[in-house]
Amino acid sequence: MKQIQSSNIQPEVKVLLSYATSDKKVAREYQLYMESPERVLYGYSIEQEMVGCIGIAKRDGNHCEIKHLAVSPTNRGKGIGREMIRYLKEHYSFSTIYAETDEEAVHFYENIGFHITSLGEKYPGVERFACLYNCTTSSL
C-alpha cells in the first residue's frame, strides 16, 4: 500500500472513491485528505494498477475511523479489503478501528472480526451499522 498525496486526484482514485461515497462528494472528500493532518488516504495496487483505496481519520486516544474503503468490482472477494485493514493495524498503534457502513458492506466487516451494532435508519429506508474492531484483542 502507498499513501496518496498528489494534490490532483488521479482518475483511478476518483473512480474508487466514487464506490465509497457519492460522485458529488468525491472531490471534497479527496480535498479533505490532502488538507487535514488527521486524515490519510492509501492506495492498494496490483501490478501497477490501483485496485483499492482506504481513507482514515486518526482520532484521539489511538482510535481510527475508516472514512472510505473501496475495491474495484473485478477485484472484490480477493481479500484486498482485509489486507488494507491489516496494513493499518500493523503500521499504526491503533487500539480500535471504527467504520460506519450500510447493509451492503456490513457482512464484510463482520466476517473479518468487527463487532456490529445497528444504528437504525439514519436515512429514510437505509439502515446503518457501526463496526468496531478492537486491535488489542482481535486478529485479522
Side-chain angles (χ1 to χ4, degrees):
M1 282 211 330
K2 188 173 181 179
Q3 186 174 347
I4 299 170
Q5 297 178 298
S6 172
S7 58
N8 296 320
I9 189 169
Q10 300 163 324
E12 63 270 23
V13 175
K14 187 175 185 176
V15 169
L16 285 167
L17 278 176
S18 74
Y19 297 135
T21 190
S22 69
D23 284 337
K24 294 184 291 188
K25 293 182 180 179
V26 168
R28 177 68 185 133
E29 290 296 324
Y30 188 81
Q31 183 180 5
L32 287 171
Y33 285 114
M34 297 305 111
E35 295 174 354
S36 177
E38 67 271 356
R39 279 201 178 202
V40 185
L41 182 63
Y42 290 99
Y44 186 99
S45 296
I46 297 175
E47 297 176 5
Q48 309 302 317
E49 178 189 356
M50 193 174 304
V51 297
C53 71
I54 188 168
I56 63 169
K58 296 180 272 183
R59 303 290 186 211
D60 292 336
N62 291 329
H63 301 290
C64 167
E65 180 180 355
I66 297 173
K67 302 298 284 181
H68 302 96
L69 177 87
V71 176
S72 63
T74 56
N75 287 283
R76 291 179 186 162
K78 297 179 180 179
I80 294 169
R82 177 189 295 256
E83 282 301 313
M84 290 190 291
I85 293 172
R86 183 178 288 138
Y87 178 89
L88 297 177
K89 185 179 174 189
E90 292 173 358
H91 287 83
Y92 291 95
S93 56
F94 295 131
S95 55
T96 61
I97 300 174
Y98 173 84
E100 183 179 310
T101 194
D102 56 20
E103 199 168 358
E104 184 180 331
V106 71
H107 297 294
F108 161 77
Y109 288 102
E110 188 174 41
N111 289 338
I112 62 172
F114 279 70
H115 175 75
I116 309 300
T117 305
S118 174
L119 298 172
E121 281 190 31
K122 284 187 79 175
Y123 313 104
V126 179
E127 184 177 9
R128 300 289 292 172
F129 298 89
C131 309
L132 185 64
Y133 185 84
N134 185 331
C135 297
T136 58
T137 61
S138 301
S139 63
L140 287 169

